Structure formats: structure tokens, C-alpha cells
Amino acid sequence: FSAWLECVCVVTFDLELGQALELVYPNDFRLTDKEKSSICYLSFPDSHSGCLGDTQFSFRMRQCGGQRSPWHADDRHYNSRAPVALQREPAHYFGYVYFRQVKDSSVKRGYFQKSLVLVSRLPFVRLFQALLSLIAPEYFDKLAPCLEAVCSEIDQWPAPAPGQTLNLPVMGVVVQVRIPSRVDKSESSPPKQYDQENLLPAPVVLASVHELDLFRCFRPVLTHMQTLWELMLLGEPLLVLAPSPDVSSEMVLALTSCLQPLRFCCDFRPYFTIHDSEFKEFTTRTQAPPNVVLGVTNPFFIKTLQHWPHILRVGEPKMSGDLPKQVKLKKPSRLKTLDTKPGLYTAYTAHLHRDKALLKRLLKGVQKKRPSDVQSALLRRHLLELTQSFIIPLEHYMASLMPLQKSITPWKTPPQIQPFSQDDFLRSLEHAGPQLTCILKGDWLGLYRRFFKSPHFDGWYRQRHKEMALKLEALHLEAICEANIETWMKDKSEVEVVDLVLKLREKLVRAQGHQLPVKEATLQRAQLYIETVIGSLPKDLQAVLCPP
């Protein structure tokens, strides 16, 4: 159970207390008071969005040191195989909410108001929302016993495994999903149909565990996609004001997914309320706004966050056949009133020109009634190619900082990775820049210069540097294993030989813990080396190095 979910909560409206936590399952899962309060407020739509009927949305909140499900050793194992965008969150919880508000004369307020919430550290928004739409209606009718049955079913599921197709039985249905793996080709494809003879009933195949309907989310802002992508890339603070939590959370999640395959390194809150414990921190005027994408529904935020550089106001979603009116680009100074019209209020000018061909294709798709998932795939591919065009030159330059393989010798400390020089990199763009893979014109240099100041450059560089350092260590281990150890030992003192044993052992432990990219054969040779070297030492030293 804890490989998928931390806990399941039920939040209800109590006349005396307001939102209250009615139930947490498993019941021994401990949340701190701060976490409980956050879950209560984030699981109900703000009083300004009159959501009648059923609404599904999601939120993300900071963990406050409550109980973590036993820190899985498989966390590291799972994260090393999952794409960066799908790794388990180390310090935040995701909440997936199914909220029901219907007239009910048997209740004092005249309304039945309850939320069923799945709390997880996995960003599988599509999977958990599909799960909720199966469980929640049933739960609201039958209450607690049905929830316990569902939780014990989830407890029997195989753990999430990147690259594998899993069958997840729940409430008489089998949901079939495939969790993407780091080594997948970047084209998104629905899971292949596997042998289903033993699967009754036929499974419900989810095309993706995490991808939203991008086209539906971005319909009102298509003309500003280029600007919004750049704001995300630069980690700029952005406030998204939407009419309801479902629109706000989908827009924020869609925006933060724009940078794949890059990891989104800033904070983001798909739905945020004034009761949040971080409200003060985010709304302070004494320092620059934090790097966060904030989804809200309460117009009060426009007043408190007027000093923010970028505010996107989205109207009610219109699902008519044609493309809804595109929100206008406006100066931030126009944010005087609370009945502000939909628009992107920013003084930022995009560095790159927008892709008119893409807009034409999407528009044609609307006229031809092309299915939304096809439109979304077009949009997703465009954003992926744009991000890759931007990142490839950085990757090439970074690779050139790696020491040459011939400079790595077995008995010397390996040479260092050269430092990243922004000027050298910018000079390299003339002949190896994004213009090789991307047709978009504009001020690429200016965009890179701003990118160097953003949390995303920092996150990307640290990750790459770490991977390269491990690669160096692996190459060094291979060099040692290919060398002739007997020749080396001839003129060495016992101290030097013991030192080699200890160093090799340490490298071996790291390599076996999947932290070094080394072939299995190399590990076996290293083990053999250690035995050979120890065998050449006097018996008393052997006993110290290999206690019985």
C-alpha cells in the first residue's frame, strides 16, 4: 500500500468546526497537526468557487515531519529508473481530491459536503484521478467498510515499476497502466496490449499515469505558449487565478510539465488557499516573490500579490467547438480591480518568436474536430522538441568538460571535471547552438543568460556534474581492473597494498549499491583482485582484512 499511497483521508464539513478530518486510513498513519489542517483546507473548494456536484482536483503540500511511510529502500531503486518528472517527492505530499457537494435536506446546512483524498508522494495525477472516480461515488453511498476493502486491494498491488505494464485490480475492475521508464523513447505511446487471457474482466487501459489533456488545459492561452514556456524555464514566480480548483490545478500541472525531459526544480502549488501555513511566506513584500507557480481561486490573492511580476487570470472553461477567445497580454499595472478580465499580466517579453505554424495546425485541428488527445500530443511534442533544442547545446558543452579516457590511469587519482564557463559556452553556440535543431528565431543568447540565473540551471548542472563524477569513478575502477595487479604489487609496501584493498572495497560497495554505472564483469574482477591482493599479505594482516 505504502509503495503507492501514504494514506487516504476523508474530509467533511462540520457546522461547529468547519472542515474536519473524519477519517485517516491506515488509522495508525500519523500526520502532524499542521499537515491535518492543510489537508482539510486544501480538500475543499474555496467558498468563491461554487462547485456543485462532483469536482476533482489536486494539491501539493510541504511535509512537516510527520510520519513517512517507511523510507523505502525502493525509493532509491524506483527513482533511479523513473524519468525525473515521475520520481517520488522527498519533501512534499500530493493530494488527489474527489469533492462532492449536493443538496441534502437531512443535513443542517442543507448540503452534503465531503471530500475523499488520496495522499501520495507520486505525481500520477491521471491514475489517481481515475481511481477516485471508481472509488468515491461508491464510498459516498456506502461509507467506511467499502474504503477498507479498497485499501486492502491496493495493498495487494505490485509496487510501481518503471518500464513495466501493471494490472491493478480495484472494485471489480482491472486498471492497466505502464509507468514510463528513463530509457523510453521520448515519444509518448499508450501501453501495448499484453496477453489478456487470464484477465477477467477486460482491463481499463490508462494511456498514461501522469499526462494531462494539455490541449484542454492550454486552450485559452495557446497564443502565449512561447512566453509561458520561457517563464517556466526561467523559474519565474507565476500566479494562476482560476474560477475553480480543478481549472487551477490542471493549469499549474500542465505548466510545470512543459519542461520535460528537464526536472521542474521550483516549488509549485496546483491549488493554494489563504489558510495555508505558507501563506505569509509566499505573500511577503519584504523580499522578491519566491520561485513558485501558485494556483488559486480566491480573488483576494490579486490584491495581496499585486507586486508579483506575472499573473495569469483564466476564465470559465468554454468547451464550444471553436477555439475560445485567447487571453490578452496586458501590463501588470492594469491589475487595479478584483474583477480583472482574463489575461496574462506581465511585463516580460519572450526571447523567441512564437511558432505560428503550430498555432495554425492546432486551429485546423479544432475546425476538423480532431480528438483532443491528438491535439495534446502535437502540443507535447512541440514543447519537448523546444526544450530539447535548448538543452542539447548545454549537454554537448558539458560533455566536453569530461577528462579524456586516456588520461585516466589505474594508480593515480582520476583528473577533475573542468569548470563550467558561461562565456565559453555562449561562444560555442555559434556553430553548435539550438538553431541546428530548432526553426524558432529570436534572442537565444539572452535566454541562456537568464537561464544561468535560474534554479533550473542549478538543478540541471548539479545532476549532470554528479552523473559525470560517478562515470569518472566507474572508468577509474575499470582501468584498475584492466591493469596487471601483480606487477603493481612487486615494489609496494604493505601499507600501500592494504590501502588499495580498502579503496577497492569502498568502490565495490558503491558500485553494488547501483550508484556507479559499472558492468557486472568489472565487479567480479574487482572482487577477484581484492582476494588476490589479500592473499599476498602475511597471515596476521589477512586475518584483520578478512575476519573469520
Side-chain angles (χ1 to χ4, degrees):
F1 180 83
S2 64
W4 293 92
L5 293 172
E6 301 295 301
C7 61
V8 178
C9 302
V10 177
V11 181
T12 189
F13 198 91
D14 180 295
L15 266 184
E16 272 88 63
L17 304 170
Q19 278 101 300
L21 207 53
E22 185 176 293
L23 182 143
V24 176
Y25 193 92
N27 34 23
D28 57 352
F29 188 83
R30 281 187 305 286
L31 292 159
T32 63
D33 290 345
K34 211 171 180 180
E35 287 169 344
K36 284 180 186 162
S37 152
S38 291
I39 290 173
C40 284
Y41 283 116
L42 289 168
S43 303
F44 267 45
D46 214 310
S47 50
H48 292 269
S49 42
C51 300
L52 263 180
D54 293 0
T55 311
Q56 276 190 271
F57 58 95
S58 39
F59 61 80
R60 178 174 177 268
M61 62 181 236
R62 199 177 285 173
Q63 239 173 268
C64 308
Q67 172 193 357
R68 297 272 295 259
S69 54
W71 193 79
H72 305 289
D74 39 298
D75 241 23
R76 190 184 289 162
H77 185 56
Y78 167 83
N79 282 351
S80 66
R81 291 158 58 223
V84 285
L86 293 185
Q87 291 179 354
R88 274 202 184 92
E89 283 270 355
H92 290 83
Y93 287 142
F94 285 104
Y96 301 97
V97 184
Y98 192 109
F99 169 72
R100 173 170 287 184
Q101 172 165 289
V102 286
K103 282 205 159 94
D104 181 347
S105 50
S106 67
V107 185
K108 245 189 182 163
R109 268 176 79 113
Y111 282 100
F112 170 93
Q113 291 170 306
K114 251 193 206 342
S115 280
L116 183 60
V117 189
L118 305 180
V119 179
S120 174
R121 291 192 293 126
L122 291 165
F124 297 166
V125 57
R126 279 280 278 279
L127 169 65
F128 289 130
Q129 287 190 339
L131 202 56
L132 276 170
S133 43
L134 289 171
I135 308 167
E138 191 82 358
Y139 167 73
F140 290 137
D141 292 342
K142 304 199 175 120
L143 300 177
C146 132
L147 204 54
E148 249 168 80
V150 167
C151 290
S152 53
E153 277 188 295
I154 295 175
D155 200 31
Q156 302 301 310
W157 287 3
Q164 286 180 24
T165 295
L166 306 175
N167 294 313
L168 312 173
V170 62
M171 298 183 75
V173 180
V174 174
V175 179
Q176 190 176 79
V177 295
R178 181 182 180 281
I179 295 166
S181 137
R182 205 170 257 211
V183 292
D184 288 352
K185 289 280 162 280
S186 45
E187 286 299 304
S188 51
S189 58
K192 286 186 212 61
Q193 292 293 327
Y194 282 84
D195 203 12
Q196 274 158 20
E197 57 204 336
N198 55 356
L199 282 185
L200 281 166
V204 174
V205 180
L206 270 196
S208 160
V209 283
H210 68 294
E211 287 178 347
L212 293 165
D213 182 340
L214 273 196
F215 183 66
R216 194 188 65 215
C217 300
F218 287 149
R219 274 175 79 113
V221 295
L222 286 173
T223 51
H224 307 304
M225 275 322 300
Q226 185 55 48
T227 306
L228 290 166
W229 174 81
E230 287 185 25
L231 292 177
M232 292 301 104
L233 181 72
L234 302 173
E236 288 282 317
L238 174 70
L239 177 71
V240 174
L241 179 67
S244 58
D246 49 328
V247 178
S248 122
S249 60
E250 288 217 314
M251 180 62 93
V252 171
L253 291 174
L255 284 166
T256 54
S257 73
C258 281
L259 296 186
Q260 285 169 14
L262 260 190
R263 181 201 289 275
F264 189 81
C265 297
C266 301
D267 199 350
F268 60 97
R269 302 303 165 93
Y271 174 53
F272 188 78
T273 73
I274 52 179
H275 303 287
D276 206 287
S277 55
E278 280 125 68
F279 177 75
K280 276 201 178 69
E281 187 183 319
F282 286 165
T283 53
T284 169
R285 284 176 177 246
T286 51
Q287 59 213 58
N291 302 87
V292 60
V293 183
L294 214 53
V296 300
T297 57
N298 191 333
F300 173 73
F301 277 101
I302 287 197
K303 214 152 128 189
T304 39
L305 300 182
Q306 263 178 351
H307 59 297
W308 274 38
H310 322 284
I311 295 179
L312 174 61
R313 174 94 199 233
V314 203
E316 288 290 348
K318 293 188 182 59
M319 288 324 284
S320 56
D322 53 351
L323 209 55
K325 223 164 73 197
Q326 295 295 298
V327 306
K328 295 249 187 333
L329 201 57
K330 304 180 176 177
K331 292 270 179 290
S333 57
R334 303 292 295 276
L335 270 177
K336 290 202 179 51
T337 54
L338 287 188
D339 56 338
T340 307
K341 296 200 166 48
L344 177 57
Y345 294 81
T346 176
Y348 179 84
T349 319
H351 288 77
L352 306 179
H353 307 316
R354 65 170 169 229
D355 190 336
K356 294 201 175 109
L358 173 81
L359 280 171
K360 277 198 185 118
R361 281 182 74 184
L362 291 172
L363 216 68
K364 201 171 218 155
V366 171
Q367 288 154 1
K368 289 187 168 167
K369 303 213 173 349
R370 190 187 290 148
S372 196
D373 54 345
V374 181
Q375 295 273 68
S376 287
L378 278 175
L379 203 47
R380 189 169 283 112
R381 176 147 16 112
H382 164 77
L383 291 165
L384 180 74
E385 285 168 1
L386 187 55
T387 307
Q388 282 175 330
S389 294
F390 184 82
I391 284 298
I392 288 167
L394 284 159
E395 299 278 0
H396 281 326
Y397 174 73
M398 193 73 192
S400 73
L401 305 177
M402 184 83 168
L404 296 172
Q405 195 149 353
K406 62 173 188 250
S407 67
I408 299 168
T409 51
W411 318 116
K412 280 198 188 118
T413 312
Q416 296 285 306
I417 298 166
Q418 294 167 30
F420 190 104
S421 152
Q422 296 183 4
D423 294 338
D424 286 354
F425 167 72
L426 293 171
R427 274 195 290 277
S428 77
L429 289 178
E430 244 172 85
H431 48 87
Q435 71 278 5
L436 300 180
T437 51
C438 186
I439 50 165
L440 289 191
K441 299 270 183 284
D443 177 14
W444 286 95
L445 278 172
L447 189 56
Y448 281 112
R449 280 201 182 94
R450 269 190 85 155
F451 177 69
F452 288 142
K453 300 189 183 89
S454 83
H456 289 125
F457 171 67
D458 187 54
W460 170 83
Y461 176 74
R462 276 167 197 254
Q463 181 63 28
R464 276 292 167 269
H465 196 277
K466 188 169 130 194
E467 284 165 12
M468 283 163 69
L470 293 177
K471 179 79 182 137
L472 256 181
E473 218 176 313
L475 288 170
H476 190 225
L477 183 60
E478 275 164 21
I480 293 175
C481 290
E482 277 157 21
N484 184 329
I485 198 124
E486 278 91 352
T487 325
W488 177 82
M489 281 179 351
K490 270 185 190 139
D491 54 348
K492 296 294 178 284
S493 67
E494 278 176 10
V495 175
E496 287 171 294
V497 175
V498 170
D499 187 50
L500 176 72
V501 170
L502 297 176
K503 279 201 173 123
L504 268 177
R505 266 196 186 153
E506 188 191 349
K507 278 187 191 289
L508 208 57
V509 167
R510 290 176 56 121
Q512 284 162 337
H514 301 294
Q515 289 166 301
L516 293 185
V518 192
K519 295 184 197 73
E520 195 52 49
T522 308
L523 295 183
Q524 286 161 358
R525 287 183 65 173
Q527 192 56 55
L528 207 71
Y529 263 30
I530 292 174
E531 286 157 19
T532 310
V533 176
I534 292 177
S536 74
L537 290 166
K539 289 275 182 284
D540 57 342
L541 264 178
Q542 285 190 29
V544 173
L545 289 171
C546 293

